[in-house]
Amino acid sequence: MLSQIREPWLKRASHNLMRGEEGRAALDQTLNRFYDLLLQAVASGDPGWLKPLLMEWASLRTEDELQQDELSLSPVLGALVAETLGVARQELSAADALELSEALLPIFTYAYGEIARQEITVRVAYVTAKLEKVRAELEGLDRSKSDFISVAAHELKTPLTLIEGYTAMLREHSKKEEETSPVVLMLRGVDNGTRRLGEIINDMIDVSLIDNDLLSLSFQPTWVNRLIEKLVEDMTPLAAERNQRIIVIPFDGWEQATFGDTERILQALRNVMTNAIKYTPDEGEIEISGRLLPGFIEVTVTDTGIGIDQEDQTLIFRKFGRLGAVATHSSGKTKFKGGGPGLGLPITKGILEAHGGTIWVESEGYDETALPGATFHVLLPIRTEPPDKKNARLFATETSGPIS
Ligand code: ADP
């Protein structure tokens, strides 16, 4: 019966699917193939005969169709089903048309299901490719940002060195001036400015070293209690300017030594402390403590400051992760909410991760009135020897064996 209606079917389907003459031969060829497979499917009772053609159709979808989220194949299949049933009704007796429709029903049902599956597969592949492209673009953007930081930092360093040189010469020149003379005061201003600029440039260089996995560490025996003592010594004058108290609470195992880059770890802790001072109002308290964990030493810095919202607690460790809600108003390094470039914590995290450690923050939230405070947790692995062999040998002879 299906063979009988082939000619009228082909005519109608071809006419309805394509108005112009262009491409008609190709369409007729496809329709003939469809019909051949349909005949096979009906004869064998296996709708799977249509699968290769349906897969081919799904894979032929154009970029435009995929972009517009169009389901272009289901309507085509719908038109073919309608033509088949229409032609059967026209060309065959009512009983024959019904019988043919019954035979075709499971085949067309299968075809719809298969088309939907194929279309989804093609769409998922398309969206995945798109996402991959966006990811690559973002990676490129991040790379150029990182390249920019690196180039800018190195370019700024040369003129800064010049300014520092000339300032030193001027200072030498005005040695005989009174301490309160305008020239000496102005020179002090220039000194402060250049020092701050130097720190920012160094931060930019550190960030680009970390970004490019180029941070090199020089491992040496490091005692956490001595590190904390030095930290407190460095930070006390800054805290005093803000009438803040630094409290150290010794903890079990804080005499523990580990191998690490002492200077870099101190830099990381200094960043955390600077922030604790900066984001805590005058008269506040900063407490340094910690605990010994299996394989790690944890140092905690707790402040009584403005705190950090839960959703920002990961953001602040990203480059330029300054928080919009915190209205910074001055560029002083430790003034209350004194703004900074937002590089301190990413550097701290980079240094700690390069050691095999990490850092995270706990805070109930951000509130400038209730002052919930924040606790930064710094985790350092306990190493009994430096990771690189050359250094290990160096310290083995000096300390006659790994430290414990
Ligand atoms: P910067 O201080 O230069 O802005 P950081 O990377 O050191 O950059 O810190 C990023 C942001 O994290 C800060 O802008 C601030 O909003 C928030 N932050 C850091 N430490 C604290 C803290 N102890 N209390 C409250 N907010 C903090």
Side-chain angles (χ1 to χ4, degrees):
M1 279 183 273
L2 195 58
S3 311
Q4 269 177 44
I5 60 166
R6 183 176 188 129
E7 279 316 311
W9 180 89
L10 196 61
K11 238 195 203 139
R12 270 180 61 169
S14 171
H15 178 75
N16 284 349
L17 283 178
M18 195 177 276
R19 299 282 168 209
E21 281 311 304
E22 215 179 301
R24 168 91 53 206
L27 175 68
D28 286 353
Q29 206 182 356
T30 309
L31 288 175
N32 267 313
R33 228 179 113 204
F34 175 78
Y35 213 82
D36 285 342
L37 294 171
L38 197 61
L39 282 168
Q40 295 274 19
V42 173
S44 64
D46 175 12
W49 280 93
L50 286 172
K51 190 171 175 170
L53 185 62
L54 299 176
M55 277 172 68
E56 210 175 285
W57 284 354
S59 69
L60 288 177
R61 299 194 62 190
T62 62
E63 172 89 12
D64 273 357
E65 285 170 343
L66 286 165
Q67 221 165 30
Q68 285 160 18
D69 207 7
E70 267 177 18
L71 284 176
S72 59
L73 290 181
S74 315
V76 172
L77 188 66
L80 292 178
V81 172
E83 292 306 345
T84 317
L85 299 180
V87 173
R89 254 201 324 271
Q90 212 172 51
E91 303 286 324
L92 301 171
S93 68
D96 283 356
L98 189 64
E99 196 184 329
L100 183 61
S101 305
E102 274 171 12
L104 287 173
L105 190 66
I107 295 169
F108 285 142
T109 309
Y110 165 86
Y112 266 120
E114 192 58 31
I115 280 266
R117 219 165 56 86
Q118 294 302 336
E119 283 200 314
I120 287 171
T121 311
V122 171
R123 170 150 293 278
V124 168
Y126 171 77
V127 174
T128 311
K130 269 245 133 97
L131 276 178
E132 176 52 32
K133 209 169 139 214
V134 172
R135 196 197 57 76
E137 273 168 19
L138 281 178
E139 209 174 81
L141 268 179
D142 198 52
R143 184 122 309 277
S144 47
K145 199 159 81 181
S146 161
D147 288 350
F148 169 76
I149 296 173
S150 163
V151 171
H154 285 101
E155 288 306 316
L156 288 172
K157 198 130 195 156
T158 321
L160 182 69
T161 314
L162 271 177
I163 298 171
E164 280 169 348
Y166 281 115
T167 323
M169 275 162 26
L170 270 174
R171 213 182 298 119
E172 193 60 36
H173 222 70
S174 49
K175 244 181 171 167
K176 290 180 209 86
E177 294 276 342
E178 293 277 323
E179 265 299 292
T180 49
S181 84
V183 176
V184 171
L185 291 178
M186 281 188 263
L187 270 174
R188 204 167 297 148
V190 175
D191 254 354
N192 282 341
T194 40
R195 194 170 334 108
R196 185 78 193 104
L197 192 56
E199 282 166 2
I200 294 172
I201 294 173
N202 285 339
D203 276 359
M204 287 163 77
I205 292 174
D206 282 351
V207 153
S208 65
L209 287 177
I210 289 166
D211 264 357
N212 297 300
D213 280 331
L214 291 174
L215 189 73
S216 67
L217 298 175
S218 108
F219 282 85
Q220 48 193 288
T222 306
W223 282 265
V224 174
N225 55 345
R226 289 190 206 160
L227 215 59
I228 293 177
E229 273 162 26
K230 176 82 177 87
L231 179 70
V232 173
E233 189 186 313
D234 291 351
M235 304 310 289
T236 299
L238 300 174
E241 278 175 28
R242 305 276 320 283
N243 279 334
Q244 292 168 340
R245 225 155 57 96
I246 300 179
I247 304 162
V248 179
I249 301 183
F251 52 96
D252 271 352
W254 84 325
E255 299 95 352
Q256 175 78 45
T258 177
F259 269 94
D261 188 322
T262 319
E263 257 317 303
R264 286 292 190 184
I265 300 174
L266 194 58
Q267 180 188 355
L269 290 173
R270 240 187 250 128
N271 282 344
V272 175
M273 276 298 280
T274 308
N275 282 342
I277 294 176
K278 207 158 66 166
Y279 297 102
T280 299
D282 292 3
E283 326 284 336
E285 267 180 18
I286 295 149
E287 185 186 289
I288 307 171
S289 187
R291 59 185 171 153
L292 193 63
L293 297 166
F296 289 91
I297 303 178
E298 184 188 39
V299 178
T300 49
V301 175
T302 305
D303 62 49
T304 52
I306 59 175
I308 304 162
D309 269 341
Q310 301 276 334
E311 62 263 33
D312 295 329
Q313 292 177 10
T314 359
L315 185 78
I316 56 170
F317 294 102
R318 294 205 201 124
K319 254 184 307 191
F320 309 110
R322 303 172 51 179
L323 306 178
V326 183
T328 50
H329 52 68
S330 71
S331 57
K333 198 173 153 110
T334 48
K335 290 211 178 106
F336 184 42
K337 298 194 291 169
L343 296 177
L345 287 179
I347 294 172
T348 303
K349 187 164 184 261
I351 291 174
L352 294 168
E353 284 180 351
H355 279 84
T358 189
I359 179 169
W360 74 95
V361 67
E362 260 181 310
S363 172
E364 277 171 26
Y366 161 72
D367 191 329
E368 294 207 15
T369 327
L371 302 172
T375 298
F376 280 80
H377 298 254
V378 169
L379 207 62
L380 271 175
I382 300 172
R383 287 181 198 275
T384 48
E385 54 181 26
D388 55 311
K389 294 215 168 60
K390 207 172 93 217
N391 261 342
R393 246 184 286 126
L394 190 71
F395 286 106
T397 47
E398 235 177 53
T399 59
S400 58
I403 56 169
S404 55

